[in-house]
Amino acid sequence: MKRGWVIFLGLLFPALACRYVPQDLWHLTWRHALAWGVDPYLVAAVVWVESGYCPQAVGRAGEVGLGQFMPGTWHRTTGGAPPEWRTDPDWALWATAKHLRELWLATRDWRLALAAYNAGLGAVRSGRIPASTVRYVERVLRVYWRWRGGVM
């Protein structure tokens, strides 16, 4: 009987991090955000909207992990870390903070950086930001301001 519960909890555990921010992931978010000079609440809001803080999240287009990285973006952002590391929370949060910082440096505007995170820097530079990306940016900012105000 004990073994059955252990197997059940083992299968359930990855889902426990979904739509909930475990303290260890919150701590990692802060550590990596501050190291890259990004507001930790902004990194947390992006991760929340992207994956619901579910390390095993997989998107429709093949994006994976907390930061929902596509393989090419992951490769560029991490300098070639193996794509399977996208599901590692420490690597994913480090890469999310780093990527946000790089996008901010490229745009010097947080709204545009968030749009580039979602649609790509090329779309932002060309001025062709999809309506879905505009909604994405607003959603991230709503989460950000709610959390920044202390409501979590």
Side-chain angles (χ1 to χ4, degrees):
M1 181 67 174
K2 256 186 177 178
R3 185 166 188 243
W5 274 107
V6 170
I7 292 171
F8 174 74
L9 290 174
L11 294 172
L12 180 64
F13 183 74
L16 291 177
C18 300
R19 295 292 170 204
Y20 163 75
V21 186
Q23 190 170 2
D24 61 330
L25 295 185
W26 187 248
H27 173 74
L28 284 173
T29 301
W30 276 73
R31 185 176 69 175
H32 293 309
L34 293 175
W36 285 106
V38 180
D39 185 329
Y41 289 105
L42 187 60
V43 174
V46 167
V47 171
W48 184 261
V49 170
E50 289 287 345
S51 67
Y53 264 89
C54 187
Q56 303 301 323
V58 177
R60 285 177 273 187
E63 59 276 31
V64 174
L66 291 171
Q68 291 290 279
F69 281 92
M70 295 294 287
T73 306
W74 177 260
H75 185 78
R76 283 188 305 278
T77 301
T78 64
E84 58 270 16
W85 289 7
R86 292 178 292 168
T87 59
D88 178 273
D90 196 28
W91 269 96
L93 292 168
W94 176 86
T96 300
K98 180 180 188 275
H99 191 44
L100 283 170
R101 177 65 177 191
E102 291 170 341
L103 293 170
W104 181 81
L105 289 171
T107 62
R108 296 293 178 170
D109 180 297
W110 281 113
R111 283 182 177 271
L112 293 178
L114 291 171
Y117 192 96
N118 182 258
L121 192 54
V124 169
R125 285 187 171 152
S126 71
R128 289 182 245 174
I129 301 172
S132 61
T133 296
V134 173
R135 289 189 299 273
Y136 167 86
V137 170
E138 293 308 315
R139 187 171 172 212
V140 169
L141 292 174
R142 271 194 311 275
V143 171
Y144 170 77
W145 285 113
R146 186 175 74 229
W147 287 3
R148 187 90 171 134
V151 178
M152 203 161 133

